[in-house]
């Protein structure tokens, strides 16, 4: 989407090290207790870490946005490494479908808030780490205040509006943004720091059209993949704090799990970036759902509940059920007498539908069915409802 500012090739000359985080003088660093000296003894043996490096980790404040697939390994490894203050932003509940990849949670915490579940596990892993839980949806109204209190921001989210929100807030605040994303068998990681390289908008100035990129809930994800990408994010965070090694600032690291292959793309800062360019036009946070073209909530009368649909069908009302999921989803589970027309094929197959019939379109979470309803109405279909039933 938009212009892609990357090239195959090595990183740029200015990426000689990771010293992008302001470090306090050694005299201002917190001391390590006897228990911590023992706990982190394998770190202390490393010249690149040592006692002062471990004290830097203890003094650091890192915010992880999302306690899901990526946030789980990030939070676990940062807590184990001895990050002094670990902030977690999440407002979701642990679901059984999460446990295939969200390893910070367990069967015993299904139904509980993810924040509560994660903090309990992290506290058991390392009681020396101070956790700050933020049970809120990150938004344009609270992002600057929340992110502003931390040294490094780790993006563990799975949607474009929040991804752009985190990027923009991090740039405006002058914070490094440790980025990761996953889908099916592929992932990628980078570090965006506008003071030393490109930001996320330099890579993707505009989001993809709504519905073009399915979510992990719609397209699936290999459970071990977020562990690999999340571990890289944790590693980059630790390197930034220690000020050692070569950072992923200015580099994108795509990973193909099926071929077990990493690539490296050197990213170029976009001189015309509206956020971090010389003549930037973005000076404050915007409405990111509107920016990403997210559909507004369904209008009254356009959504039917599963129970309402069942009653209509039991009354033998003539209703055309259209399933706009993908064929592999349809094979797992389907509604009786439904017709499979994947969302991407719908515009070309409209002639298969009766424009005067009562049509109910449904998918997995409701997003694709709302898009299908928009397509139908744009083509002149006067009747129709969206069914947000979770069927798989």
């Amino acid at each position: 989407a938009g212009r892609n500012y990357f090239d195959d090739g090595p990183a740029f000359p200015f990426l000689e090290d990771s010293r992008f985080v302001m470090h306090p003088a050694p005299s201002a660093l917190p001391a390590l207790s006897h228990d911590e000296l023992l706990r982190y003894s394998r770190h202390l043996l490393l010249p690149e870490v040592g006692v002062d490096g471990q004290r830097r980790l203890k003094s650091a404040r890192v915010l992880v946005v999302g306690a899901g697939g990526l946030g789980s390994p990030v939070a676990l490894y940062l807590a184990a490494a001895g990050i002094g203050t670990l902030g977690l932003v999440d407002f979701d509940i642990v679901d059984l479908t999460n446990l295939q990849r969200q390893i910070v949670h367990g069967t015993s915490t299904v139904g509980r808030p993810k924040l509560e579940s994660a903090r309990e596990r992290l506290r058991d892993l390392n009681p020396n780490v101070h956790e700050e839980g933020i049970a809120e949806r990150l938004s344009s109204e609270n992002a600057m205040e929340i992110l502003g209190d931390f040294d490094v921001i780790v993006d563990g989210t799975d949607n474009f509006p929040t991804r752009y929100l985190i990027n923009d807030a991090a740039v405006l605040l002058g914070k490094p943004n440790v980025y990761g994303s996953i889908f099916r068998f592929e992932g990628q990681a980078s570090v965006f720091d506008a003071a030393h390289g490109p930001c996320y908008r330099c890579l993707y100035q505009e989001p993809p059209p709504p519905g073009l990129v399915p979510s992990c809930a719609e397209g699936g994800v290999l459970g071990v993949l977020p562990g690999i990408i999340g571990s890289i994010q944790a590693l980059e965070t630790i390197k930034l704090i220690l000020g050692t090694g070569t950072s992923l600032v200015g580099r994108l690291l795509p990973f193909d799990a099926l071929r077990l292959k990493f690539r490296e793309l050197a990213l170029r800062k976009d001189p015309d970036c509206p956020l971090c360019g010389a003549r930037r036009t973005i000076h404050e946070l915007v409405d990111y759902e509107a920016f990403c073209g997210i559909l507004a909530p369904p209008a009254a009368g356009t959504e039917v509940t599963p129970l309402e649909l069942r009653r209509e069908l039991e009354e033998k009302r003539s209703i055309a059920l259209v399933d706009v999921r993908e064929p592999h989803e349809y094979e797992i589970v389907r509604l009786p007498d439904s017709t499979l027309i994947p969302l991407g094929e719908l515009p070309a197959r409209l002639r298969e539908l009766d424009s005067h019939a009562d049509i109910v379109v449904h998918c997995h979470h409701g997003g694709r069915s709302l898009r299908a309803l928009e397509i139908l109405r744009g083509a002149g279909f006067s009747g129709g409802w969206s069914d947000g039933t979770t069927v798989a």
Side-chain angles (χ1 to χ4, degrees):
R3 292 170 290 174
N4 294 330
Y5 282 82
F6 57 79
D7 299 296
D8 286 302
F12 294 111
F14 63 79
L15 298 174
E16 296 177 352
D17 57 39
S18 294
R19 295 173 175 84
F20 299 142
V21 177
M22 296 299 293
H23 300 300
S27 59
L29 295 171
L32 300 176
S33 67
H34 176 75
D35 172 78
E36 289 172 313
L37 290 171
L38 183 61
R39 178 183 290 268
Y40 308 126
S41 59
R42 301 303 187 272
H43 269 179
L44 305 185
L45 294 173
L46 299 171
E48 295 82 357
V49 183
V51 173
D52 281 350
Q54 193 62 52
R55 292 168 66 199
R56 292 190 188 282
L57 293 174
K58 184 175 181 178
S59 72
R61 297 177 56 84
V62 177
L63 181 70
V64 181
V65 184
L70 291 171
S72 289
V74 170
L76 286 168
Y77 274 113
L78 292 183
I83 296 298
T85 300
L86 191 58
L88 287 174
V89 180
D90 206 295
F91 60 91
D92 204 0
I93 302 296
V94 180
D95 185 82
L96 190 61
T97 61
N98 299 150
L99 303 186
Q100 160 255 18
R101 65 199 178 282
Q102 299 183 15
I103 56 174
V104 77
H105 311 295
T107 304
S108 63
T109 61
V110 169
R112 293 171 57 189
K114 284 185 179 180
L115 204 58
E116 181 182 303
S117 170
R119 294 180 70 186
E120 185 176 290
R121 173 70 182 98
L122 297 176
R123 199 171 296 121
D124 178 63
L125 177 63
N126 191 349
N128 298 305
V129 173
H130 172 64
E131 311 102 7
E132 291 187 6
I134 303 163
E136 300 179 35
R137 181 190 294 271
L138 199 67
S139 68
S140 300
E141 288 70 37
N142 61 21
M144 296 294 282
E145 180 180 357
I146 292 174
L147 272 62
D149 201 27
F150 292 87
D151 304 316
V152 181
I153 313 303
V154 183
D155 183 353
T157 62
D158 61 355
N159 64 86
F160 288 102
T162 312
R163 197 167 290 159
Y164 278 96
L165 168 62
I166 291 171
N167 174 77
D168 291 6
V171 171
L172 293 174
L173 291 166
K175 310 279 185 180
N177 168 22
V178 184
Y179 159 78
S181 69
I182 52 172
F183 180 63
R184 292 181 176 167
F185 295 93
E186 298 180 351
Q188 55 184 231
S190 187
V191 176
F192 297 113
D193 186 338
H196 303 276
C199 76
Y200 183 75
R201 282 184 183 265
C202 293
L203 179 60
Y204 300 116
Q205 190 176 102
E206 297 177 353
L212 181 65
V213 181
S215 67
C216 289
E218 296 170 340
V221 61
L222 186 68
V224 72
L225 180 64
I228 297 170
I229 301 301
S231 295
I232 292 172
Q233 289 180 277
L235 172 62
E236 288 300 297
T237 301
I238 291 170
K239 285 163 55 183
L240 287 172
I241 295 166
L242 293 176
T244 190
T246 301
S247 169
L248 278 178
V249 169
R251 295 186 291 157
L252 183 70
L253 194 67
F255 174 64
D256 183 337
L258 289 181
R259 294 191 295 167
L260 197 62
K261 182 177 180 180
F262 283 96
R263 298 174 62 207
E264 181 177 314
L265 303 175
L267 304 180
R268 293 187 287 123
K269 192 177 183 71
D270 179 4
D272 297 320
C273 176
L275 180 67
C276 70
R279 293 177 296 277
R280 65 191 184 101
T281 58
I282 299 175
H283 300 276
E284 59 184 18
L285 302 181
V286 300
D287 182 338
Y288 291 90
E289 293 202 346
F291 172 68
C292 294
I294 302 300
L295 291 172
T302 63
E303 189 171 30
V304 59
T305 68
L307 289 177
E308 289 170 342
L309 177 59
R310 179 179 177 179
R311 284 196 295 268
E312 296 285 352
L313 294 173
E314 287 176 346
E315 292 174 4
K316 307 299 183 183
R317 181 172 175 178
S318 178
I319 292 177
L321 287 175
V322 180
D323 189 330
V324 294
R325 298 175 299 151
E326 295 300 308
H328 66 273
E329 297 176 272
Y330 189 77
E331 288 299 315
I332 297 172
V333 64
R334 70 193 75 169
L335 294 177
D337 301 318
S338 61
T339 299
L340 175 65
I341 305 180
L343 180 62
E345 300 176 14
L346 184 59
R349 296 176 60 182
L350 291 174
R351 66 183 62 185
E352 299 177 27
L353 303 174
D354 183 351
S355 61
H356 301 290
D358 288 330
I359 300 172
V360 174
V361 290
H362 74 93
C363 60
H364 188 251
H365 287 279
R368 284 174 288 181
S369 62
L370 282 175
R371 177 63 59 187
L373 188 61
E374 206 174 56
I375 293 171
L376 290 174
R377 295 200 163 168
F381 286 75
S382 57
W385 294 275
S386 165
D387 174 23
T389 309
T390 298
V391 297

